[in-house]
Amino acid sequence: MRAVEMTGRTVEEAIEAALRALGARRDEVEIEVLEEGSKGFLGLLGSRQARVRVSLLENPERAIKGFLEKVLSAMALEAGVEVRRREDYFLVSFYGRDLGLLIGRRGETLNALQYLTNLAVSRMIGERVRIVLDAEGYRKRREQALVRLARRLSERVKRTGNKVVLEPMTPQERRIIHTALQNDSQVVTYSEGEEPNRKVVICLRKG
């Protein structure tokens, strides 16, 4: 949590100075008055300035962007970060150069970074948030590929009668598989294992 200490002739003056330094509004900070200040004898002798500590409260968007910018800097990647709030999650889009390196083979780097971002940001703000990272429309292409894979594997299950266990996937990728086959009357899907190695299983529906 970023914080500054400021002084002023009054508490209000000190708070305003701190808000300017942080570039924040009152509803984005926590204010602690360290010293009320006093005018002293005849307003001159023994006067003391007011002193406050103002801390910038973490919100999900700021925490997400700050964490990812530090990671990108450590990776020496030139990419910008855009965070958008969706109904029940935050979508992060990267733009710039080197995005192929950020995605990695079959999205492995992007998925690993997404997993770490969810953990780190949830810890930073003290509540669980769901964050999805995307670059160059990779998630949409991946979704289409997973739907095709789900349908192809469901046909194999129907043909052979043997269940199929897919590779470990992120929660949102597993959701895509489940959704793609939820209306198939012949097969059923479920997940097994522990994160981050949780897998989808496709098998024949009993009865």
Side-chain angles (χ1 to χ4, degrees), residues 70-104:
K70 287 179 183 176
V71 172
L72 291 172
S73 176
M75 295 173 70
L77 293 180
E78 293 185 21
V81 180
E82 181 183 37
V83 183
R84 286 171 287 178
R85 185 187 288 266
R86 291 292 186 257
E87 197 167 307
D88 60 346
Y89 68 97
F90 293 90
L91 175 64
V92 179
S93 299
F94 295 100
Y95 56 90
R97 301 189 299 176
D98 302 327
L99 296 187
L101 291 173
L102 190 58
I103 295 169

Side-chain angles (χ1 to χ4, degrees), residues 21-63:
L22 290 170
R25 304 187 308 268
R26 277 182 181 261
D27 61 347
E28 296 177 322
V29 301
E30 182 179 278
I31 298 169
E32 181 184 357
V33 178
L34 302 176
E35 284 190 44
E36 290 282 353
S38 64
K39 291 182 179 179
F41 180 65
L42 298 178
L44 296 170
L45 300 174
S47 63
R48 243 186 7 258
Q49 286 199 310
R51 186 163 61 96
V52 299
R53 177 183 294 116
V54 177
S55 304
L56 195 60
L57 297 171
E58 287 290 5
N59 64 35
E61 291 95 331
R62 188 186 294 119

